[in-house]
Amino acid sequence: MKTILVIGNGMVGYKFCEKFMAQERKSEFNVIVFGEEPRVAYDRVHLSEYFENEDEEKLMLAPRSWYEENNITIYTNERVTDIHKVNKTITTLSEKTFSYDYLVLATGSAPFVPPIQGVDKKGVFVYRTIEDLEETMAFAKKIKGGKAAVLGGGLLGLEAAKAVKDMGLEPHVVEFAPRLMPRQLDDDGSAALESKMKELGITVHLNKATQQILGNGSIEGMEFLENEKLDVEMLIISAGIRPRDELAKTCNLEMGIRGGIVVDNTMRTSDPSIFAIGEVALYNQMIYGLVAPGYEMAQVAVDQILGNETRMSASVDMSTKLKLIGVDVASFGNPFATEEEAHAIVFENKLGGLYKRINVSKDGKTLLGGILVGEADDYNMLLQLYQNKMALPENPEDLILGARGGEGAAMGNVMDLPDEAVVCSCESVTKGAICCSVIDDGNESVKSVAKATKATTGCGGCKPMVADLVMESLKSLGKTVKVRICEHFDYSRQELYDIVKLREIKDYDELLDTVGNGNGCEVCKPAVAAIFASVYNETANKQETIQDSNDRYLANIQRNGTYSVVPRVAGGEITPKQLIAMGRIAQKYDLYTKITGGQRIDMFGAKLHELPLIWEELIAEGFETGQAYGKSLRTVKSCVGSTWCRYGMDESVSFAIEIENRYKGIRSPHKMKGGVSGCIRECAEARCKDFGFIAVEGGWNVYVCGNGGANPKHAELFAEKVDKETAVKYIDRFLMYYIKTAPPLIRTAAWLEKLEGGITYLKNVVINDSLGIAEELDKEMQNYADTYKCEWKEAVETPEIRSRYTHFINSDETDSNIEYVDLRGQKMPKAWA
Amino acid sequence: MTFADLGTYQATKPEDVKIWFKASEVSRFPKNGGACIKYKDKQIAVFNFTRIGKWYACQNLCPHKMEMVLSRGMIGEEGENPKIACPLHKNTFSLETGENINGNLEAIATYPVKIEDNFVYVGFSE
Ligand code: SRM
Ligand SMILES: Cc1cc2nc3c(=O)[nH]c(=O)nc-3n(C[C@H](O)[C@H](O)[C@H](O)COP(=O)(O)OP(=O)(O)OC[C@H]3O[C@@H](n4cnc5c(N)ncnc54)[C@H](O)[C@@H]3O)c2cc1C
Ligand code: SF4
Ligand code: FES
């Protein structure tokens, strides 16, 4: 039996183990792993997610038990300190000695900390390990709301800046170069990114050489020039990486001038029994700070140890897409190609922060590289065109502008890619392998393909493309692509909607008995509840235990288990008398109050048993439920419009109130919001809503399918200068059609994106009645409007429903677990531990 | 509540029951849903899984963020395993064993339930 020692249990060291364990001959080897970190290998690429969920389990690449099951001995918290080449042994910090036949160095790299005076001050951090994040987060809590900077405007630095922002600090990025992501972007790309960063509230400082870190013990600022300073209370350094090649020095392995352990294309170092892989390896005189090349190196090392001929690819692709920060940025191939080498085609929209550049070969036939800022949906496809040297469309500019006029995407179909095209670069999975997995091995979902091929399990950037490939492969088999909502129903939402309606099914149990399996779950229950609400216009009170928790209690649950109360304030118009009433009630029940982003008032901190009491009083004052909890119409935002505003073209408030009252109470696949502006200055942000109206000379412009939220989308123009009745009719049909056909939890914009034929098709259905269903849609919507009832009124007036609002059913006591602290004269829940 | 308080809740097996606590009438519990009862200083979520004709009880405290909310969650099944989804972040726990199904949170304590003369009883060892 031969012994392999793996030093370093990071991403690449782990991948080596994983790949090795997939080999038949694994039992001929004894594998021992040493990791310096306290835990087993985790996913550093998704490290930033730790800020959100603080869930280290989610990051683990494999649980500790996996190593045991595979007979791998693993020592964590154990640094290897010396290699003795001659007698083939190593020693660890705790002075254990092990001998080896093969040694695999996967020690990765460490953040580079520039030798700036004062970097050792408190409040200065790096960004590489879970421990780094924990320390950073603990410190951020202490300086709550303060200013923090990130040193370095590269890929990682920007990711760190977003994390800083999410920690509630004011983020600044300080970059030495004259542009952001200097290795991936040109000047204009950087400028577009900078404007996007500004929108996100991240301030960028370019051309700044930091001279010293100021402060007395803790950091208080950074000094660039004598009179140029930036006050900050925290600093994250992200100025590049340095390979952890210390071990090479202990045994004289060949190293690069600027560090890194030299390897050839078999991953062997200057000593043939010692391999180096991942970020510590210097291949082609380069250190590659990405997982994909690291994983390929791991495969090569595995094969070489087993005597196979696999070699590392001659050139390594460094294409990258920035993840997480809420701005699309990608760069591939040679983004900077000069005029001699290529034609650059550039599309730029300074206002929208959009910049796209592709470099096309002189003969116009192939793609050499490019940059995408602001929108990178086509990144995967462009990357494929580049990597596979595929023929470009006649007008290559269509690649970034979209084919204008006429059908057919400029980009071509995913199925046109050659089989050997690498779709998932982290795991080197080809298009052929993905299609085979679907067609020959019967994997019919992205999830099962991912399990079988490992595609998408690395950085996840290829997910959209894999999803398309799975779908297209299924289509090629003549299978309709089954979108089932969960294990209990083999149907899509739209199919279930039709089943409920056509078979006149009255409740959830009946539906489960007729067309379902098993006994339901938290996915299908609320989805089906929404269908019942849409088909029968029934309130959430009727089948309360299949409602999402918020619907079940007609209120949004808050972090301490109390609820918020949001009465409807249609169009945001409210009388002084109503304001006083709300104030009185909030004061009586000691509720925290705040104006919401939807032009109304939210009262927080109501205990379960207080909800009916509060609502009873609100209803007596003429208020109704605002349905802030439901997947239903939220608010129709208005601007003051022509009644008061000097520019107003029409009465936007009146229209907003009318339309909010028309659609209130309707349950839908996701929440819906509207907006009405009195002129094109658009103070009501109608174009950020699912539907919007803007008064113009000669009528109303109608917009559909916009939203704010995580993926903001501007609404698209649907009709111009129509009168109010027509505008309402269009939106009636549009919403009804959406309600009937969209999958659960898909908002109008995402729904439109998947709707074949897009906005043109939608216009045809709604305006030209191409499906012949307009009359039915009109009738159904009118029926909703006519049968609305306030579900809170129903709840407080019906003793059976009212009795649901009690914390204990066998005691009048209330939940003693709830604790508050003071917040600017109001209260807030005590923070989670 | 802090994480130390999780210790207040110890899973009880049917054979270890010393006290059958008379909680409330059957009709007070929603069909296919839950309600919370108080026993000494404990908050216990009791579920009436009408569809499969079974009753379950567990701690009301969600071990994720230590809030007293599980009784207000939604019940369902994963395969054959009956489960409860927390209303706050939808972590799911087995109603049979208490284990966290979708993650690695601490298991919740479960308790035996019996129905006699239209009353719901929950079994405790103390
Ligand atoms: C209270 C409020 C924030 C505030 O203090 O201003 C708020 C609070 C919540 N929002 Fe919001 N949103 C509020 C205005 C907004 C707005 C602004 C607006 O409506 O103009 C947006 C962006 C616009 C949009 O939706 O397109 C907004 C985008 C979201 C999203 C992202 C939706 C998306 O499509 O990406 C979510 C998450 C979701 O729904 O899945 C969300 C979800 C939530 C939830 C329900 C999260 C939750 O499940 O607990 C919050 C609970 C409300 C509560 O407890 O009462 N909230 N939320 C605002 C209530 C408005 C109201 O009067 O009803
Ligand atoms: C926040 C962040 C985001 C990233 N995002 C991306 C991305 O989107 N895409 C991408 O491709 N890459 C990304 N990366 C880079 C990626 O994480 C690395 O390329 C990858 O982790 C390299 O793997 P490795 O095994 O070589 O090094 P590491 O993962 O660093 O593992 C090396 C391990 O060896 C240990 N070690 C070192 N010396 C010793 C010793 N003497 N004895 C024992 N153990 C030792 C270290 O403690 C460490 O655990 C990101 C990195 C970070 C930090
Ligand atoms: S949108 Fe027009 S009408 Fe409305 S407030 Fe602005 S300027 Fe006035
Ligand atoms: S508190 Fe229960 S899942 Fe978060």
Side-chain angles (χ1 to χ4, degrees):
Chain A
M1 187 115 117
K2 299 213 156 165
T3 300
I4 305 174
L5 301 185
V6 182
I7 307 187
N9 186 227
M11 296 192 74
V12 175
Y14 164 76
K15 189 54 70 174
F16 174 87
C17 297
E18 185 194 281
K19 289 188 184 285
F20 203 86
M21 290 307 137
Q23 307 295 323
E24 262 168 38
R25 287 174 48 208
K26 65 180 174 193
S27 48
E28 296 166 28
F29 295 84
N30 177 20
V31 179
I32 306 175
V33 178
F34 302 87
E36 184 192 33
E37 293 187 62
R39 46 199 122 220
V40 293
Y42 53 89
D43 184 354
R44 229 179 277 291
V45 169
H46 292 103
L47 189 62
S48 296
E49 287 172 18
Y50 189 76
F51 278 115
E52 267 163 53
N53 51 30
E54 289 182 51
D55 189 347
E56 60 177 90
E57 303 292 338
K58 278 213 175 104
L59 287 181
M60 289 300 142
L61 293 171
R64 205 174 264 273
S65 56
W66 178 86
Y67 297 85
E68 222 167 87
E69 284 155 21
N70 285 286
N71 293 321
I72 299 174
T73 315
I74 178 157
Y75 297 92
T76 44
N77 251 329
E78 186 85 86
R79 179 149 62 95
V80 174
T81 49
D82 288 288
I83 300 175
H84 315 281
K85 257 189 337 198
V86 184
N87 48 6
K88 288 194 164 188
T89 60
I90 60 136
T91 31
T92 68
L93 193 62
S94 59
E95 308 212 337
K96 294 195 186 81
T97 301
F98 296 82
S99 13
Y100 62 80
D101 296 290
Y102 299 101
L103 187 61
V104 177
L105 301 177
T107 48
S109 65
F112 168 62
V113 178
I116 300 171
Q117 196 190 330
V119 279
D120 51 348
K121 291 206 194 314
K122 256 194 238 147
V124 181
F125 301 94
V126 292
Y127 198 80
R128 177 93 193 168
T129 64
I130 290 187
E131 286 73 22
D132 293 338
L133 259 63
E134 279 173 341
E135 284 171 25
T136 312
M137 281 157 91
F139 191 84
K141 259 190 202 145
K142 277 194 263 167
I143 59 162
K144 218 170 169 181
K147 265 193 199 175
V150 175
L151 188 70
L155 274 169
L156 262 182
L158 296 181
E159 209 183 298
K162 169 71 170 23
V164 163
K165 181 178 171 235
D166 291 345
M167 282 185 271
L169 304 178
E170 184 189 313
H172 292 258
V173 172
V174 176
E175 167 61 52
F176 174 72
R179 49 178 204 264
L180 288 171
M181 295 176 60
R183 280 196 277 167
Q184 288 88 9
L185 300 183
D186 57 12
D187 288 344
D188 291 338
S190 165
L193 178 56
E194 213 186 316
S195 79
K196 283 279 175 191
M197 300 302 277
K198 208 184 259 168
E199 272 176 40
L200 285 174
I202 300 173
T203 313
V204 175
H205 309 261
L206 299 174
N207 285 314
K208 294 283 177 282
T210 307
Q211 303 300 339
Q212 64 165 320
I213 309 290
L214 306 169
N216 198 343
S218 293
I219 174 171
E220 286 165 16
M222 301 162 73
E223 185 177 285
F224 307 130
L225 293 171
E226 205 160 322
N227 294 322
E228 205 186 348
K229 296 193 181 89
L230 178 68
D231 292 338
V232 290
E233 294 169 73
M234 190 175 106
L235 176 66
I236 297 181
I237 295 188
S238 174
I241 51 174
R242 286 291 174 269
R244 295 205 43 189
D245 51 16
E246 314 89 271
L247 283 172
K249 292 179 199 151
T250 69
C251 64
N252 284 322
L253 292 176
E254 187 188 340
M255 290 173 50
I257 309 166
R258 303 223 309 284
I261 305 176
V262 174
V263 292
D264 60 14
N265 63 1
T266 67
M267 291 301 120
R268 282 189 177 79
T269 63
S270 53
D271 176 330
S273 337
I274 304 181
F275 293 76
I277 57 179
E279 284 186 351
V280 72
L282 190 71
Y283 175 63
N284 285 348
Q285 291 162 14
M286 279 267 288
I287 294 288
Y288 301 93
L290 294 174
V291 285
Y295 284 5
E296 192 184 342
M297 292 176 182
Q299 184 69 54
V300 173
V302 167
D303 287 347
Q304 288 287 339
I305 290 175
L306 294 172
N308 302 330
E309 259 315 287
T310 320
R311 307 251 157 167
M312 186 70 190
S313 309
S315 73
V316 173
D317 184 33
M318 292 296 282
S319 306
T320 31
K321 188 167 171 217
L322 188 56
K323 55 186 195 299
L324 272 178
I325 66 165
V327 179
D328 274 3
V329 185
S331 131
F332 60 96
N334 179 357
F336 306 119
T338 59
E339 260 173 61
E340 286 86 65
E341 299 164 303
H343 277 305
I345 303 176
V346 173
F347 170 76
E348 195 173 6
N349 176 353
K350 287 218 161 94
L351 248 134
L354 213 60
Y355 177 81
K356 297 183 180 186
R357 163 177 175 170
I358 49 175
N359 303 319
V360 176
S361 64
K362 279 278 178 200
D363 59 7
K365 293 216 172 100
T366 50
L367 198 56
L368 302 179
I371 294 172
L372 303 169
V373 178
E375 187 202 284
D377 293 354
D378 294 329
Y379 168 70
N380 280 320
M381 204 61 197
L382 288 170
L383 182 63
Q384 291 299 338
L385 290 178
Y386 153 71
Q387 283 178 338
N388 301 296
K389 302 200 171 48
M390 290 167 73
L392 301 184
E394 201 177 320
N395 303 311
E397 63 268 29
D398 288 350
L399 291 174
I400 46 177
L401 298 176
R404 288 137 302 160
E407 300 293 294
M411 218 46 92
N413 186 293
V414 275
M415 293 307 259
D416 298 340
L417 293 176
D419 277 348
E420 58 284 0
V422 175
V423 171
C424 170
S425 51
C426 296
E427 294 283 348
S428 308
V429 189
T430 60
K431 175 218 165 193
I434 291 167
C435 295
C436 252
S437 168
V438 179
I439 296 171
D440 302 336
D441 306 340
N443 293 306
E444 300 200 344
S445 65
V446 175
K447 214 170 162 184
S448 55
V449 169
K451 214 166 173 186
T453 64
K454 299 214 130 245
T456 74
T457 58
C459 71
C462 60
K463 231 182 218 161
M465 191 165 248
V466 173
D468 286 347
L469 282 170
V470 171
M471 180 123 103
E472 292 297 327
S473 305
L474 284 173
K475 271 196 197 152
S476 75
L477 291 175
K479 291 204 180 183
T480 40
V481 185
K482 244 318 187 263
V483 218
R484 57 208 300 251
I485 66 175
C486 69
E487 61 181 88
H488 302 108
F489 290 99
D490 292 325
Y491 296 96
S492 68
R493 180 184 187 271
Q494 188 178 354
E495 288 168 324
L496 284 177
Y497 184 100
D498 292 338
I499 291 171
V500 167
K501 187 147 191 181
L502 297 173
R503 301 207 196 170
E504 294 181 26
I505 291 177
K506 286 287 182 306
D507 65 33
Y508 176 78
D509 273 343
E510 190 187 339
L511 185 66
L512 204 48
D513 293 337
T514 332
V515 298
N517 323 306
N519 297 297
C521 69
E522 75 281 5
V523 175
C524 58
K525 284 181 178 180
V528 168
I531 292 174
F532 282 112
S534 298
V535 174
Y536 299 115
N537 203 11
E538 72 185 34
T539 67
N541 291 325
K542 185 147 173 246
Q543 302 185 54
E544 90 276 17
T545 54
I546 62 165
Q547 310 290 337
D548 245 329
S549 173
N550 285 349
D551 275 291
R552 175 169 173 189
Y553 295 103
L554 307 178
N556 285 321
I557 194 164
Q558 304 297 321
R559 49 166 58 217
N560 61 355
T562 63
Y563 290 88
S564 70
V565 172
V566 190
R568 187 164 301 287
V569 176
E573 184 183 80
I574 187 160
T575 63
K577 181 165 172 281
Q578 287 175 311
L579 275 174
I580 290 167
M582 244 192 242
R584 174 184 62 74
I585 295 166
Q587 198 163 39
K588 174 165 167 191
Y589 293 94
D590 189 19
L591 304 174
Y592 168 88
T593 54
K594 152 168 206 311
I595 308 292
T596 71
Q599 291 190 333
R600 46 190 189 173
I601 296 168
D602 204 339
M603 307 186 249
F604 296 86
K607 294 192 176 140
L608 189 60
H609 73 278
E610 292 174 328
L611 284 172
L613 302 171
I614 294 169
W615 275 106
E616 195 161 43
E617 294 200 36
L618 286 167
I619 289 165
E621 294 284 354
F623 287 105
E624 296 180 326
T625 176
Q627 250 125 4
Y629 43 82
K631 299 294 169 240
S632 53
L633 182 76
R634 294 289 165 87
T635 60
V636 177
K637 186 168 173 172
S638 75
C639 78
V640 57
S642 65
T643 48
W644 289 89
C645 174
R646 64 197 161 126
Y647 293 117
M649 311 284 299
D650 209 330
E651 278 187 44
S652 39
V653 181
S654 311
F655 195 7
I657 294 174
E658 183 183 320
I659 203 83
E660 180 160 345
N661 283 326
R662 181 167 181 80
Y663 300 138
K664 69 188 174 190
I666 301 173
R667 289 298 206 276
S668 42
H670 205 314
K671 61 186 173 200
M672 311 186 289
K673 298 180 179 181
V676 185
S677 279
C679 81
I680 45 118
R681 286 169 191 75
E682 245 285 74
C683 303
E685 301 173 315
R687 290 190 59 204
C688 301
K689 308 290 184 233
D690 299 277
F691 58 92
F693 306 112
I694 300 177
V696 291
E697 189 76 56
W700 294 92
N701 280 358
V702 180
Y703 295 85
V704 296
C705 300
N707 60 243
N711 287 305
K713 282 258 151 51
H714 268 151
E716 299 198 38
L717 183 61
F718 192 74
E720 275 179 284
K721 295 186 190 172
V722 293
D723 61 23
K724 206 156 110 182
E725 286 64 45
T726 313
V728 173
K729 187 166 77 187
Y730 288 169
I731 296 303
D732 275 6
R733 291 178 187 170
F734 157 68
L735 289 179
M736 225 28 250
Y737 188 54
Y738 161 68
I739 289 169
K740 292 170 88 136
T741 60
L745 299 182
I746 296 295
R747 275 185 86 173
T748 52
W751 166 73
L752 181 66
E753 214 161 86
K754 290 275 165 216
L755 193 68
E756 232 164 281
I759 188 92
T760 322
Y761 177 80
L762 186 62
K763 279 186 192 168
N764 257 329
V765 173
V766 168
I767 303 179
N768 306 328
D769 194 15
S770 60
L771 299 179
I773 56 171
E775 196 184 331
E776 184 190 333
L777 298 177
D778 290 342
K779 234 173 51 204
E780 283 172 316
M781 185 55 91
Q782 193 55 46
N783 179 47
Y784 279 143
D786 294 341
T787 56
Y788 167 81
K789 56 182 173 225
C790 168
E791 53 203 358
W792 257 116
K793 188 157 190 284
E794 177 181 61
V796 294
E797 287 173 356
T798 316
E800 189 271 314
I801 301 174
R802 203 171 165 139
S803 71
R804 295 172 193 164
Y805 293 86
T806 152
H807 190 80
F808 296 112
I809 54 169
N810 64 339
S811 158
D812 288 336
E813 283 173 57
T814 59
D815 183 5
S816 57
N817 188 33
I818 299 174
E819 286 177 74
Y820 287 105
V821 294
D822 175 74
L823 176 71
R824 293 178 292 275
Q826 297 198 63
K827 65 177 181 183
M828 66 175 244
K830 190 165 166 230
W832 281 329
Chain B
M1 278 279 150
T2 63
F3 289 89
D5 297 310
L6 272 176
T8 318
Y9 298 93
Q10 297 293 341
T12 305
K13 295 205 196 81
E15 58 270 27
D16 298 330
V17 171
K18 298 215 180 72
I19 298 152
W20 281 105
F21 173 66
K22 186 171 179 178
S24 195
E25 294 106 312
V26 165
S27 62
R28 293 283 282 131
F29 296 85
K31 292 209 168 71
N32 291 309
C36 181
I37 62 157
K38 192 168 166 69
Y39 168 68
K40 295 191 184 164
D41 59 346
K42 293 186 174 59
Q43 296 197 18
I44 305 293
V46 179
F47 299 97
N48 176 6
F49 207 144
T50 331
R51 259 195 85 83
I52 55 174
K54 286 198 179 157
W55 289 76
Y56 297 98
C58 67
Q59 66 191 51
N60 196 30
L61 185 66
C62 178
H64 178 218
K65 291 293 177 188
M66 308 302 289
E67 298 296 348
M68 288 292 188
V69 289
L70 289 179
S71 64
R72 288 175 261 165
M74 201 180 294
I75 55 173
E77 264 184 358
E78 177 125 342
E80 307 268 277
N81 198 357
K83 63 174 176 179
I84 169 71
C86 176
L88 279 173
H89 310 100
K90 299 244 165 79
N91 280 308
T92 49
F93 303 88
S94 162
L95 287 170
E96 303 268 9
T97 63
E99 54 149 357
N100 176 207
I101 299 174
N102 65 336
N104 294 300
L105 291 168
E106 196 107 359
I108 54 172
T110 55
Y111 301 87
V113 183
K114 69 174 183 183
I115 309 294
E116 254 168 38
D117 295 332
N118 252 327
F119 264 89
V120 178
Y121 293 79
V122 182
F124 295 95
S125 59
E126 38 169 2

